[in-house]
mmCIF file with all atom_site columns, all heavy atoms in Angstrom:
data_model
loop_
_atom_site.group_PDB
_atom_site.id
_atom_site.type_symbol
_atom_site.label_atom_id
_atom_site.label_alt_id
_atom_site.label_comp_id
_atom_site.label_asym_id
_atom_site.label_entity_id
_atom_site.label_seq_id
_atom_site.pdbx_PDB_ins_code
_atom_site.Cartn_x
_atom_site.Cartn_y
_atom_site.Cartn_z
_atom_site.occupancy
_atom_site.B_iso_or_equiv
_atom_site.pdbx_formal_charge
_atom_site.auth_seq_id
_atom_site.auth_comp_id
_atom_site.auth_asym_id
_atom_site.auth_atom_id
_atom_site.pdbx_PDB_model_num
ATOM 1   N N   . ASP H 1 1  ? 10.210 2.336  8.356   1.00 97.00 ? 1  ASP H N   1
ATOM 2   C CA  . ASP H 1 1  ? 10.971 1.458  9.240   1.00 97.00 ? 1  ASP H CA  1
ATOM 3   C C   . ASP H 1 1  ? 12.482 1.573  9.043   1.00 97.00 ? 1  ASP H C   1
ATOM 4   O O   . ASP H 1 1  ? 13.244 0.886  9.707   1.00 97.00 ? 1  ASP H O   1
ATOM 5   C CB  . ASP H 1 1  ? 10.527 -0.001 9.092   1.00 97.00 ? 1  ASP H CB  1
ATOM 6   C CG  . ASP H 1 1  ? 11.028 -0.645 7.832   1.00 97.00 ? 1  ASP H CG  1
ATOM 7   O OD1 . ASP H 1 1  ? 11.182 0.053  6.817   1.00 97.00 ? 1  ASP H OD1 1
ATOM 8   O OD2 . ASP H 1 1  ? 11.275 -1.870 7.853   1.00 97.00 ? 1  ASP H OD2 1
ATOM 9   N N   . GLU H 1 2  ? 12.916 2.448  8.133   1.00 96.00 ? 2  GLU H N   1
ATOM 10  C CA  . GLU H 1 2  ? 14.336 2.729  7.901   1.00 96.00 ? 2  GLU H CA  1
ATOM 11  C C   . GLU H 1 2  ? 14.512 4.231  7.769   1.00 96.00 ? 2  GLU H C   1
ATOM 12  O O   . GLU H 1 2  ? 13.691 4.891  7.129   1.00 96.00 ? 2  GLU H O   1
ATOM 13  C CB  . GLU H 1 2  ? 14.826 2.092  6.595   1.00 96.00 ? 2  GLU H CB  1
ATOM 14  C CG  . GLU H 1 2  ? 15.148 0.621  6.663   1.00 96.00 ? 2  GLU H CG  1
ATOM 15  C CD  . GLU H 1 2  ? 16.428 0.311  7.422   1.00 96.00 ? 2  GLU H CD  1
ATOM 16  O OE1 . GLU H 1 2  ? 17.331 1.162  7.513   1.00 96.00 ? 2  GLU H OE1 1
ATOM 17  O OE2 . GLU H 1 2  ? 16.512 -0.812 7.948   1.00 96.00 ? 2  GLU H OE2 1
ATOM 18  N N   . PRO H 1 3  ? 15.574 4.782  8.324   1.00 94.00 ? 3  PRO H N   1
ATOM 19  C CA  . PRO H 1 3  ? 15.829 6.205  8.105   1.00 94.00 ? 3  PRO H CA  1
ATOM 20  C C   . PRO H 1 3  ? 16.167 6.470  6.641   1.00 94.00 ? 3  PRO H C   1
ATOM 21  O O   . PRO H 1 3  ? 16.582 5.564  5.909   1.00 94.00 ? 3  PRO H O   1
ATOM 22  C CB  . PRO H 1 3  ? 17.049 6.504  8.989   1.00 94.00 ? 3  PRO H CB  1
ATOM 23  C CG  . PRO H 1 3  ? 17.245 5.322  9.857   1.00 94.00 ? 3  PRO H CG  1
ATOM 24  C CD  . PRO H 1 3  ? 16.542 4.171  9.226   1.00 94.00 ? 3  PRO H CD  1
ATOM 25  N N   . PHE H 1 4  ? 16.015 7.707  6.217   1.00 93.00 ? 4  PHE H N   1
ATOM 26  C CA  . PHE H 1 4  ? 16.359 8.103  4.858   1.00 93.00 ? 4  PHE H CA  1
ATOM 27  C C   . PHE H 1 4  ? 17.842 7.835  4.619   1.00 93.00 ? 4  PHE H C   1
ATOM 28  O O   . PHE H 1 4  ? 18.690 8.222  5.418   1.00 93.00 ? 4  PHE H O   1
ATOM 29  C CB  . PHE H 1 4  ? 16.032 9.578  4.639   1.00 93.00 ? 4  PHE H CB  1
ATOM 30  C CG  . PHE H 1 4  ? 16.418 10.093 3.282   1.00 93.00 ? 4  PHE H CG  1
ATOM 31  C CD1 . PHE H 1 4  ? 15.880 9.532  2.137   1.00 93.00 ? 4  PHE H CD1 1
ATOM 32  C CD2 . PHE H 1 4  ? 17.322 11.130 3.159   1.00 93.00 ? 4  PHE H CD2 1
ATOM 33  C CE1 . PHE H 1 4  ? 16.224 10.006 0.873   1.00 93.00 ? 4  PHE H CE1 1
ATOM 34  C CE2 . PHE H 1 4  ? 17.679 11.615 1.908   1.00 93.00 ? 4  PHE H CE2 1
ATOM 35  C CZ  . PHE H 1 4  ? 17.127 11.042 0.763   1.00 93.00 ? 4  PHE H CZ  1
ATOM 36  N N   . ALA H 1 5  ? 18.140 7.155  3.505   1.00 95.00 ? 5  ALA H N   1
ATOM 37  C CA  . ALA H 1 5  ? 19.516 6.800  3.154   1.00 95.00 ? 5  ALA H CA  1
ATOM 38  C C   . ALA H 1 5  ? 19.750 7.195  1.694   1.00 95.00 ? 5  ALA H C   1
ATOM 39  O O   . ALA H 1 5  ? 19.519 6.395  0.784   1.00 95.00 ? 5  ALA H O   1
ATOM 40  C CB  . ALA H 1 5  ? 19.747 5.309  3.367   1.00 95.00 ? 5  ALA H CB  1
ATOM 41  N N   . PRO H 1 6  ? 20.191 8.430  1.439   1.00 94.00 ? 6  PRO H N   1
ATOM 42  C CA  . PRO H 1 6  ? 20.300 8.920  0.064   1.00 94.00 ? 6  PRO H CA  1
ATOM 43  C C   . PRO H 1 6  ? 21.179 8.062  -0.841  1.00 94.00 ? 6  PRO H C   1
ATOM 44  O O   . PRO H 1 6  ? 20.937 7.999  -2.047  1.00 94.00 ? 6  PRO H O   1
ATOM 45  C CB  . PRO H 1 6  ? 20.855 10.337 0.217   1.00 94.00 ? 6  PRO H CB  1
ATOM 46  C CG  . PRO H 1 6  ? 21.221 10.514 1.635   1.00 94.00 ? 6  PRO H CG  1
ATOM 47  C CD  . PRO H 1 6  ? 20.594 9.425  2.434   1.00 94.00 ? 6  PRO H CD  1
ATOM 48  N N   . ASP H 1 7  ? 22.175 7.388  -0.292  1.00 94.00 ? 7  ASP H N   1
ATOM 49  C CA  . ASP H 1 7  ? 23.038 6.532  -1.122  1.00 94.00 ? 7  ASP H CA  1
ATOM 50  C C   . ASP H 1 7  ? 22.320 5.286  -1.621  1.00 94.00 ? 7  ASP H C   1
ATOM 51  O O   . ASP H 1 7  ? 22.818 4.603  -2.517  1.00 94.00 ? 7  ASP H O   1
ATOM 52  C CB  . ASP H 1 7  ? 24.298 6.120  -0.355  1.00 94.00 ? 7  ASP H CB  1
ATOM 53  C CG  . ASP H 1 7  ? 25.228 7.300  -0.098  1.00 94.00 ? 7  ASP H CG  1
ATOM 54  O OD1 . ASP H 1 7  ? 25.086 8.340  -0.782  1.00 94.00 ? 7  ASP H OD1 1
ATOM 55  O OD2 . ASP H 1 7  ? 26.090 7.188  0.792   1.00 94.00 ? 7  ASP H OD2 1
ATOM 56  N N   . PHE H 1 8  ? 21.166 4.977  -1.048  1.00 94.00 ? 8  PHE H N   1
ATOM 57  C CA  . PHE H 1 8  ? 20.395 3.796  -1.431  1.00 94.00 ? 8  PHE H CA  1
ATOM 58  C C   . PHE H 1 8  ? 19.062 4.174  -2.081  1.00 94.00 ? 8  PHE H C   1
ATOM 59  O O   . PHE H 1 8  ? 18.214 3.325  -2.284  1.00 94.00 ? 8  PHE H O   1
ATOM 60  C CB  . PHE H 1 8  ? 20.149 2.902  -0.209  1.00 94.00 ? 8  PHE H CB  1
ATOM 61  C CG  . PHE H 1 8  ? 21.412 2.319  0.347   1.00 94.00 ? 8  PHE H CG  1
ATOM 62  C CD1 . PHE H 1 8  ? 22.173 3.009  1.277   1.00 94.00 ? 8  PHE H CD1 1
ATOM 63  C CD2 . PHE H 1 8  ? 21.852 1.073  -0.078  1.00 94.00 ? 8  PHE H CD2 1
ATOM 64  C CE1 . PHE H 1 8  ? 23.349 2.477  1.772   1.00 94.00 ? 8  PHE H CE1 1
ATOM 65  C CE2 . PHE H 1 8  ? 23.024 0.533  0.406   1.00 94.00 ? 8  PHE H CE2 1
ATOM 66  C CZ  . PHE H 1 8  ? 23.775 1.229  1.334   1.00 94.00 ? 8  PHE H CZ  1
ATOM 67  N N   . GLU H 1 9  ? 18.908 5.443  -2.383  1.00 94.00 ? 9  GLU H N   1
ATOM 68  C CA  . GLU H 1 9  ? 17.643 5.930  -2.947  1.00 94.00 ? 9  GLU H CA  1
ATOM 69  C C   . GLU H 1 9  ? 17.639 5.813  -4.465  1.00 94.00 ? 9  GLU H C   1
ATOM 70  O O   . GLU H 1 9  ? 18.649 6.032  -5.131  1.00 94.00 ? 9  GLU H O   1
ATOM 71  C CB  . GLU H 1 9  ? 17.419 7.384  -2.547  1.00 94.00 ? 9  GLU H CB  1
ATOM 72  C CG  . GLU H 1 9  ? 16.106 7.927  -3.052  1.00 94.00 ? 9  GLU H CG  1
ATOM 73  C CD  . GLU H 1 9  ? 15.926 9.412  -2.800  1.00 94.00 ? 9  GLU H CD  1
ATOM 74  O OE1 . GLU H 1 9  ? 16.931 10.155 -2.773  1.00 94.00 ? 9  GLU H OE1 1
ATOM 75  O OE2 . GLU H 1 9  ? 14.774 9.821  -2.644  1.00 94.00 ? 9  GLU H OE2 1
ATOM 76  N N   . ARG H 1 10 ? 16.471 5.473  -4.992  1.00 93.00 ? 10 ARG H N   1
ATOM 77  C CA  . ARG H 1 10 ? 16.237 5.458  -6.431  1.00 93.00 ? 10 ARG H CA  1
ATOM 78  C C   . ARG H 1 10 ? 14.875 6.080  -6.688  1.00 93.00 ? 10 ARG H C   1
ATOM 79  O O   . ARG H 1 10 ? 14.065 6.238  -5.779  1.00 93.00 ? 10 ARG H O   1
ATOM 80  C CB  . ARG H 1 10 ? 16.233 4.036  -6.997  1.00 93.00 ? 10 ARG H CB  1
ATOM 81  C CG  . ARG H 1 10 ? 17.565 3.327  -6.993  1.00 93.00 ? 10 ARG H CG  1
ATOM 82  C CD  . ARG H 1 10 ? 18.494 3.891  -8.073  1.00 93.00 ? 10 ARG H CD  1
ATOM 83  N NE  . ARG H 1 10 ? 19.704 3.123  -8.197  1.00 93.00 ? 10 ARG H NE  1
ATOM 84  C CZ  . ARG H 1 10 ? 20.805 3.311  -7.494  1.00 93.00 ? 10 ARG H CZ  1
ATOM 85  N NH1 . ARG H 1 10 ? 20.838 4.234  -6.557  1.00 93.00 ? 10 ARG H NH1 1
ATOM 86  N NH2 . ARG H 1 10 ? 21.870 2.579  -7.697  1.00 93.00 ? 10 ARG H NH2 1
ATOM 87  N N   . GLY H 1 11 ? 14.618 6.380  -7.943  1.00 94.00 ? 11 GLY H N   1
ATOM 88  C CA  . GLY H 1 11 ? 13.323 6.910  -8.316  1.00 94.00 ? 11 GLY H CA  1
ATOM 89  C C   . GLY H 1 11 ? 12.951 6.491  -9.723  1.00 94.00 ? 11 GLY H C   1
ATOM 90  O O   . GLY H 1 11 ? 13.817 6.253  -10.573 1.00 94.00 ? 11 GLY H O   1
ATOM 91  N N   . LEU H 1 12 ? 11.653 6.369  -9.944  1.00 95.00 ? 12 LEU H N   1
ATOM 92  C CA  . LEU H 1 12 ? 11.101 6.100  -11.271 1.00 95.00 ? 12 LEU H CA  1
ATOM 93  C C   . LEU H 1 12 ? 10.409 7.372  -11.743 1.00 95.00 ? 12 LEU H C   1
ATOM 94  O O   . LEU H 1 12 ? 9.793  8.082  -10.941 1.00 95.00 ? 12 LEU H O   1
ATOM 95  C CB  . LEU H 1 12 ? 10.076 4.966  -11.214 1.00 95.00 ? 12 LEU H CB  1
ATOM 96  C CG  . LEU H 1 12 ? 10.560 3.613  -10.703 1.00 95.00 ? 12 LEU H CG  1
ATOM 97  C CD1 . LEU H 1 12 ? 9.388  2.653  -10.585 1.00 95.00 ? 12 LEU H CD1 1
ATOM 98  C CD2 . LEU H 1 12 ? 11.626 3.046  -11.624 1.00 95.00 ? 12 LEU H CD2 1
ATOM 99  N N   . ARG H 1 13 ? 10.483 7.633  -13.039 1.00 95.00 ? 13 ARG H N   1
ATOM 100 C CA  . ARG H 1 13 ? 9.827  8.830  -13.570 1.00 95.00 ? 13 ARG H CA  1
ATOM 101 C C   . ARG H 1 13 ? 8.314  8.631  -13.516 1.00 95.00 ? 13 ARG H C   1
ATOM 102 O O   . ARG H 1 13 ? 7.793  7.609  -13.941 1.00 95.00 ? 13 ARG H O   1
ATOM 103 C CB  . ARG H 1 13 ? 10.304 9.135  -14.984 1.00 95.00 ? 13 ARG H CB  1
ATOM 104 C CG  . ARG H 1 13 ? 9.876  10.520 -15.457 1.00 95.00 ? 13 ARG H CG  1
ATOM 105 C CD  . ARG H 1 13 ? 10.674 11.007 -16.659 1.00 95.00 ? 13 ARG H CD  1
ATOM 106 N NE  . ARG H 1 13 ? 10.663 10.074 -17.758 1.00 95.00 ? 13 ARG H NE  1
ATOM 107 C CZ  . ARG H 1 13 ? 9.703  9.989  -18.665 1.00 95.00 ? 13 ARG H CZ  1
ATOM 108 N NH1 . ARG H 1 13 ? 8.637  10.769 -18.596 1.00 95.00 ? 13 ARG H NH1 1
ATOM 109 N NH2 . ARG H 1 13 ? 9.790  9.119  -19.646 1.00 95.00 ? 13 ARG H NH2 1
ATOM 110 N N   . TRP H 1 14 ? 7.627  9.623  -13.034 1.00 96.00 ? 14 TRP H N   1
ATOM 111 C CA  . TRP H 1 14 ? 6.183  9.559  -12.779 1.00 96.00 ? 14 TRP H CA  1
ATOM 112 C C   . TRP H 1 14 ? 5.375  9.253  -14.037 1.00 96.00 ? 14 TRP H C   1
ATOM 113 O O   . TRP H 1 14 ? 4.314  8.651  -13.957 1.00 96.00 ? 14 TRP H O   1
ATOM 114 C CB  . TRP H 1 14 ? 5.706  10.870 -12.146 1.00 96.00 ? 14 TRP H CB  1
ATOM 115 C CG  . TRP H 1 14 ? 5.843  12.055 -13.063 1.00 96.00 ? 14 TRP H CG  1
ATOM 116 C CD1 . TRP H 1 14 ? 6.966  12.801 -13.279 1.00 96.00 ? 14 TRP H CD1 1
ATOM 117 C CD2 . TRP H 1 14 ? 4.843  12.607 -13.901 1.00 96.00 ? 14 TRP H CD2 1
ATOM 118 N NE1 . TRP H 1 14 ? 6.719  13.788 -14.202 1.00 96.00 ? 14 TRP H NE1 1
ATOM 119 C CE2 . TRP H 1 14 ? 5.414  13.693 -14.603 1.00 96.00 ? 14 TRP H CE2 1
ATOM 120 C CE3 . TRP H 1 14 ? 3.500  12.299 -14.131 1.00 96.00 ? 14 TRP H CE3 1
ATOM 121 C CZ2 . TRP H 1 14 ? 4.708  14.461 -15.504 1.00 96.00 ? 14 TRP H CZ2 1
ATOM 122 C CZ3 . TRP H 1 14 ? 2.801  13.077 -15.035 1.00 96.00 ? 14 TRP H CZ3 1
ATOM 123 C CH2 . TRP H 1 14 ? 3.396  14.139 -15.709 1.00 96.00 ? 14 TRP H CH2 1
ATOM 124 N N   . ASN H 1 15 ? 5.877  9.631  -15.199 1.00 96.00 ? 15 ASN H N   1
ATOM 125 C CA  . ASN H 1 15 ? 5.130  9.423  -16.444 1.00 96.00 ? 15 ASN H CA  1
ATOM 126 C C   . ASN H 1 15 ? 5.857  8.477  -17.406 1.00 96.00 ? 15 ASN H C   1
ATOM 127 O O   . ASN H 1 15 ? 5.663  8.545  -18.612 1.00 96.00 ? 15 ASN H O   1
ATOM 128 C CB  . ASN H 1 15 ? 4.819  10.753 -17.118 1.00 96.00 ? 15 ASN H CB  1
ATOM 129 C CG  . ASN H 1 15 ? 6.061  11.549 -17.476 1.00 96.00 ? 15 ASN H CG  1
ATOM 130 O OD1 . ASN H 1 15 ? 7.174  11.186 -17.101 1.00 96.00 ? 15 ASN H OD1 1
ATOM 131 N ND2 . ASN H 1 15 ? 5.875  12.640 -18.191 1.00 96.00 ? 15 ASN H ND2 1
ATOM 132 N N   . ASP H 1 16 ? 6.661  7.583  -16.857 1.00 95.00 ? 16 ASP H N   1
ATOM 133 C CA  . ASP H 1 16 ? 7.358  6.578  -17.666 1.00 95.00 ? 16 ASP H CA  1
ATOM 134 C C   . ASP H 1 16 ? 6.317  5.724  -18.387 1.00 95.00 ? 16 ASP H C   1
ATOM 135 O O   . ASP H 1 16 ? 5.454  5.117  -17.747 1.00 95.00 ? 16 ASP H O   1
ATOM 136 C CB  . ASP H 1 16 ? 8.224  5.715  -16.750 1.00 95.00 ? 16 ASP H CB  1
ATOM 137 C CG  . ASP H 1 16 ? 9.013  4.641  -17.478 1.00 95.00 ? 16 ASP H CG  1
ATOM 138 O OD1 . ASP H 1 16 ? 8.691  4.295  -18.632 1.00 95.00 ? 16 ASP H OD1 1
ATOM 139 O OD2 . ASP H 1 16 ? 9.957  4.114  -16.860 1.00 95.00 ? 16 ASP H OD2 1
ATOM 140 N N   . PRO H 1 17 ? 6.348  5.662  -19.721 1.00 94.00 ? 17 PRO H N   1
ATOM 141 C CA  . PRO H 1 17 ? 5.347  4.880  -20.459 1.00 94.00 ? 17 PRO H CA  1
ATOM 142 C C   . PRO H 1 17 ? 5.343  3.388  -20.088 1.00 94.00 ? 17 PRO H C   1
ATOM 143 O O   . PRO H 1 17 ? 4.313  2.737  -20.198 1.00 94.00 ? 17 PRO H O   1
ATOM 144 C CB  . PRO H 1 17 ? 5.723  5.071  -21.928 1.00 94.00 ? 17 PRO H CB  1
ATOM 145 C CG  . PRO H 1 17 ? 6.815  6.058  -21.981 1.00 94.00 ? 17 PRO H CG  1
ATOM 146 C CD  . PRO H 1 17 ? 7.291  6.351  -20.597 1.00 94.00 ? 17 PRO H CD  1
ATOM 147 N N   . ALA H 1 18 ? 6.482  2.872  -19.632 1.00 92.00 ? 18 ALA H N   1
ATOM 148 C CA  . ALA H 1 18 ? 6.544  1.452  -19.248 1.00 92.00 ? 18 ALA H CA  1
ATOM 149 C C   . ALA H 1 18 ? 5.662  1.160  -18.039 1.00 92.00 ? 18 ALA H C   1
ATOM 150 O O   . ALA H 1 18 ? 5.232  0.021  -17.844 1.00 92.00 ? 18 ALA H O   1
ATOM 151 C CB  . ALA H 1 18 ? 7.986  1.043  -18.957 1.00 92.00 ? 18 ALA H CB  1
ATOM 152 N N   . LEU H 1 19 ? 5.382  2.177  -17.236 1.00 95.00 ? 19 LEU H N   1
ATOM 153 C CA  . LEU H 1 19 ? 4.565  1.978  -16.034 1.00 95.00 ? 19 LEU H CA  1
ATOM 154 C C   . LEU H 1 19 ? 3.081  2.158  -16.325 1.00 95.00 ? 19 LEU H C   1
ATOM 155 O O   . LEU H 1 19 ? 2.244  1.525  -15.692 1.00 95.00 ? 19 LEU H O   1
ATOM 156 C CB  . LEU H 1 19 ? 5.007  2.938  -14.924 1.00 95.00 ? 19 LEU H CB  1
ATOM 157 C CG  . LEU H 1 19 ? 6.477  2.858  -14.522 1.00 95.00 ? 19 LEU H CG  1
ATOM 158 C CD1 . LEU H 1 19 ? 6.794  3.907  -13.463 1.00 95.00 ? 19 LEU H CD1 1
ATOM 159 C CD2 . LEU H 1 19 ? 6.848  1.462  -14.054 1.00 95.00 ? 19 LEU H CD2 1
ATOM 160 N N   . GLY H 1 20 ? 2.739  3.047  -17.221 1.00 95.00 ? 20 GLY H N   1
ATOM 161 C CA  . GLY H 1 20 ? 1.343  3.245  -17.607 1.00 95.00 ? 20 GLY H CA  1
ATOM 162 C C   . GLY H 1 20 ? 0.442  3.792  -16.519 1.00 95.00 ? 20 GLY H C   1
ATOM 163 O O   . GLY H 1 20 ? -0.752 3.507  -16.493 1.00 95.00 ? 20 GLY H O   1
ATOM 164 N N   . ILE H 1 21 ? 0.983  4.586  -15.620 1.00 97.00 ? 21 ILE H N   1
ATOM 165 C CA  . ILE H 1 21 ? 0.169  5.164  -14.540 1.00 97.00 ? 21 ILE H CA  1
ATOM 166 C C   . ILE H 1 21 ? -0.679 6.297  -15.106 1.00 97.00 ? 21 ILE H C   1
ATOM 167 O O   . ILE H 1 21 ? -0.170 7.176  -15.794 1.00 97.00 ? 21 ILE H O   1
ATOM 168 C CB  . ILE H 1 21 ? 1.050  5.676  -13.389 1.00 97.00 ? 21 ILE H CB  1
ATOM 169 C CG1 . ILE H 1 21 ? 1.860  4.514  -12.794 1.00 97.00 ? 21 ILE H CG1 1
ATOM 170 C CG2 . ILE H 1 21 ? 0.191  6.366  -12.319 1.00 97.00 ? 21 ILE H CG2 1
ATOM 171 C CD1 . ILE H 1 21 ? 2.933  4.958  -11.830 1.00 97.00 ? 21 ILE H CD1 1
ATOM 172 N N   . ARG H 1 22 ? -1.962 6.271  -14.802 1.00 96.00 ? 22 ARG H N   1
ATOM 173 C CA  . ARG H 1 22 ? -2.881 7.333  -15.232 1.00 96.00 ? 22 ARG H CA  1
ATOM 174 C C   . ARG H 1 22 ? -3.177 8.217  -14.027 1.00 96.00 ? 22 ARG H C   1
ATOM 175 O O   . ARG H 1 22 ? -3.954 7.850  -13.152 1.00 96.00 ? 22 ARG H O   1
ATOM 176 C CB  . ARG H 1 22 ? -4.157 6.718  -15.785 1.00 96.00 ? 22 ARG H CB  1
ATOM 177 C CG  . ARG H 1 22 ? -3.880 5.873  -17.021 1.00 96.00 ? 22 ARG H CG  1
ATOM 178 C CD  . ARG H 1 22 ? -5.114 5.162  -17.429 1.00 96.00 ? 22 ARG H CD  1
ATOM 179 N NE  . ARG H 1 22 ? -5.735 5.952  -18.488 1.00 96.00 ? 22 ARG H NE  1
ATOM 180 C CZ  . ARG H 1 22 ? -6.572 5.455  -19.362 1.00 96.00 ? 22 ARG H CZ  1
ATOM 181 N NH1 . ARG H 1 22 ? -6.925 4.194  -19.292 1.00 96.00 ? 22 ARG H NH1 1
ATOM 182 N NH2 . ARG H 1 22 ? -7.078 6.215  -20.294 1.00 96.00 ? 22 ARG H NH2 1
ATOM 183 N N   . TRP H 1 23 ? -2.538 9.361  -14.004 1.00 98.00 ? 23 TRP H N   1
ATOM 184 C CA  . TRP H 1 23 ? -2.743 10.307 -12.919 1.00 98.00 ? 23 TRP H CA  1
ATOM 185 C C   . TRP H 1 23 ? -4.053 11.051 -13.179 1.00 98.00 ? 23 TRP H C   1
ATOM 186 O O   . TRP H 1 23 ? -4.307 11.490 -14.298 1.00 98.00 ? 23 TRP H O   1
ATOM 187 C CB  . TRP H 1 23 ? -1.559 11.263 -12.830 1.00 98.00 ? 23 TRP H CB  1
ATOM 188 C CG  . TRP H 1 23 ? -0.258 10.538 -12.583 1.00 98.00 ? 23 TRP H CG  1
ATOM 189 C CD1 . TRP H 1 23 ? 0.667  10.174 -13.527 1.00 98.00 ? 23 TRP H CD1 1
ATOM 190 C CD2 . TRP H 1 23 ? 0.230  10.050 -11.341 1.00 98.00 ? 23 TRP H CD2 1
ATOM 191 N NE1 . TRP H 1 23 ? 1.708  9.502  -12.933 1.00 98.00 ? 23 TRP H NE1 1
ATOM 192 C CE2 . TRP H 1 23 ? 1.465  9.413  -11.589 1.00 98.00 ? 23 TRP H CE2 1
ATOM 193 C CE3 . TRP H 1 23 ? -0.242 10.093 -10.037 1.00 98.00 ? 23 TRP H CE3 1
ATOM 194 C CZ2 . TRP H 1 23 ? 2.231  8.828  -10.589 1.00 98.00 ? 23 TRP H CZ2 1
ATOM 195 C CZ3 . TRP H 1 23 ? 0.517  9.511  -9.029  1.00 98.00 ? 23 TRP H CZ3 1
ATOM 196 C CH2 . TRP H 1 23 ? 1.733  8.888  -9.305  1.00 98.00 ? 23 TRP H CH2 1
ATOM 197 N N   . PRO H 1 24 ? -4.901 11.219 -12.159 1.00 97.00 ? 24 PRO H N   1
ATOM 198 C CA  . PRO H 1 24 ? -6.245 11.757 -12.377 1.00 97.00 ? 24 PRO H CA  1
ATOM 199 C C   . PRO H 1 24 ? -6.330 13.264 -12.577 1.00 97.00 ? 24 PRO H C   1
ATOM 200 O O   . PRO H 1 24 ? -7.365 13.766 -12.994 1.00 97.00 ? 24 PRO H O   1
ATOM 201 C CB  . PRO H 1 24 ? -6.989 11.342 -11.107 1.00 97.00 ? 24 PRO H CB  1
ATOM 202 C CG  . PRO H 1 24 ? -5.929 11.282 -10.060 1.00 97.00 ? 24 PRO H CG  1
ATOM 203 C CD  . PRO H 1 24 ? -4.696 10.784 -10.779 1.00 97.00 ? 24 PRO H CD  1
#
């Protein structure tokens, strides 16, 4: 619902231990 706005973009590291995501 919003165009890509690189100045407002952020990212989280996919394997950040604080998130605890288990990729299959």
Side-chain angles (χ1 to χ4, degrees):
D1 75 328
E2 280 287 335
F4 177 60
D7 292 342
F8 295 87
E9 182 186 30
R10 291 286 187 273
L12 301 174
R13 192 163 54 84
W14 65 277
N15 60 352
D16 181 342
L19 303 177
I21 299 170
R22 297 173 97 158
W23 300 97

